[in-house]
Amino acid sequence: MRVAILGCGYVGLELGRQLTDAGHEAIGVRRSEDGLAAIEDAGFTAVQADLLDADSLSAVPDVDALVYAASTGGRGADAARRIYVAGMRTALSHFSSREDPPDRLVYTSSTGVHGDHDGDWVTEETPLSPTTPKTEVLVAAEELALSAGEAFDIDGTVARFSGLYGPDRYRLERYLEGPVTEGYLNMVHGEDAAGAVAYLLAEDLAPGAVVQVTDDEPVSKWTFADWLAEQCGVDEPPKQTIEERLAGGDLSDAAERRLRTSKRVSNEKLRGLGYEFRYPTFREGYRQAVDLYRERHS
């Protein structure tokens, strides 16, 4: 299987490594020189192209599958619409017009499209209720990916990630120092985010469907912070309610909406498809970070 990873960043680099290790051919596509160097350092082929420029995509060879994993780098809704919607449409139009087009697309979305559910469980069938302009764009991108079979003859799958963590993204100090605001954490280790995408492609699963990629155990932020403190051998951090955090008055409208968003994301569908997690919960996933912390502070 030959796979082009369009927007080959944090998850894309790990996906390329896993595909290569499994005997597939991965091609990472980035616009910047630094991005290309990171792909080469990860051990697979790098191609320079701009996802908004169909002509530049001609540099990417024919592939069996596309993974659209582009990022806006934290920018707002306008940038998101250009990257996630216009960019994906450009890529689908370009690759579908080739003599040997790909069969599959996986678009990496976010469980942020669910909005607030007051701590209740959400599944792939839960109606979406995005709470920010950016998550509204993500919903539009999901719709484009899911319609790719009909519009471009490329079967689209949405892999909807919860909060990514792993090397370079552990953020221990945030929870060890506090104050920690109440709410739920839905997480997935970067290796499992990539592993789930590789699995869906290799097994040809979930065409035209959404699959939520999250670990087995959504956890209260307070519970997680206390567990982390115990494991690291430090005092439990200070905590605050949502109302106490809001009373600070220093939050943007978007940040306030995110703070009011609470849900628990189910991975029952992904589990039912047969995927086995490397890090089923935060306990396994944070072990490396805890060990490094204790080593540094011993």
Side-chain angles (χ1 to χ4, degrees):
M1 181 171 60
R2 178 188 271 180
V3 180
I5 306 166
L6 307 179
C8 189
Y10 186 74
V11 173
L13 291 170
E14 176 61 26
L15 175 60
R17 285 188 286 262
Q18 291 189 25
L19 289 170
T20 301
D21 289 346
H24 304 294
E25 182 179 355
I27 299 160
V29 180
R30 289 287 295 272
R31 185 175 60 178
S32 71
E33 295 292 340
D34 287 346
L36 297 174
I39 294 167
E40 291 170 351
D41 288 345
F44 56 102
T45 302
V47 172
Q48 188 169 30
D50 184 340
L51 301 181
L52 291 168
D53 181 354
D55 290 339
S56 75
L57 289 172
S58 299
V60 182
D62 290 343
V63 293
D64 303 300
L66 303 171
V67 175
Y68 199 88
S71 169
T72 64
R75 290 175 291 169
D78 290 340
R81 189 168 297 279
R82 287 195 302 275
I83 298 299
Y84 297 138
V85 179
M88 190 183 347
R89 184 176 287 115
T90 297
L92 285 168
S93 178
H94 170 82
F95 283 97
S96 66
S97 68
R98 290 189 174 190
E99 213 171 287
D100 187 14
D103 301 312
R104 292 292 306 275
L105 162 77
V106 175
Y107 163 59
T108 62
S109 185
S110 164
T111 57
V113 297
H114 281 296
D116 179 39
H117 287 267
D118 198 25
D120 285 344
W121 287 92
V122 296
T123 71
E124 290 81 357
E125 284 68 47
T126 302
L128 301 182
S129 53
T131 57
T132 67
K134 189 169 183 178
T135 51
E136 288 173 359
V137 173
L138 295 179
V139 171
E142 287 193 4
E143 292 170 351
L144 175 59
L146 294 174
S147 67
E150 182 177 349
F152 299 99
D153 201 27
I154 299 173
D155 288 331
T157 297
V158 172
R160 194 181 282 159
F161 294 160
S162 61
L164 292 166
Y165 75 97
D168 301 323
R169 290 198 180 192
Y170 282 116
R171 306 182 184 94
L172 260 67
E173 287 73 15
R174 171 182 174 185
Y175 291 100
L176 293 177
E177 296 173 2
V180 178
T181 307
E182 66 181 328
Y184 278 106
L185 285 171
N186 298 277
M187 296 184 283
V188 64
H189 194 284
E191 288 186 28
D192 280 313
V197 172
Y199 180 76
L200 293 172
L201 287 173
E203 300 298 322
D204 196 21
L205 297 171
V210 177
V211 179
Q212 310 212 119
V213 181
T214 189
D215 72 16
D216 289 347
E217 189 177 336
V219 62
S220 155
K221 293 178 184 178
W222 289 357
T223 299
F224 172 70
D226 287 350
W227 175 86
L228 199 59
E230 178 188 13
Q231 295 297 307
C232 290
V234 301
D235 293 337
E236 293 180 356
K239 302 173 183 68
Q240 61 187 358
T241 65
I242 291 173
E243 288 71 23
E244 287 170 337
R245 180 66 184 93
L246 292 173
D250 58 344
L251 295 172
S252 66
D253 289 344
E256 183 174 330
R257 283 194 294 267
R258 285 194 298 271
L259 191 65
R260 294 183 183 277
T261 297
S262 179
K263 60 185 176 292
R264 285 175 287 173
V265 183
S266 169
N267 69 5
E268 185 176 349
K269 182 173 182 177
L270 180 58
R271 280 291 197 183
L273 291 171
Y275 181 71
E276 295 292 334
F277 281 80
R278 301 181 184 196
Y279 304 98
T281 76
F282 60 90
R283 296 175 189 84
E284 298 84 9
Y286 267 82
R287 178 50 49 198
Q288 179 188 33
V290 167
D291 290 346
L292 287 172
Y293 181 91
R294 295 188 72 105
E295 191 177 300
R296 287 198 307 269
H297 294 83
S298 60

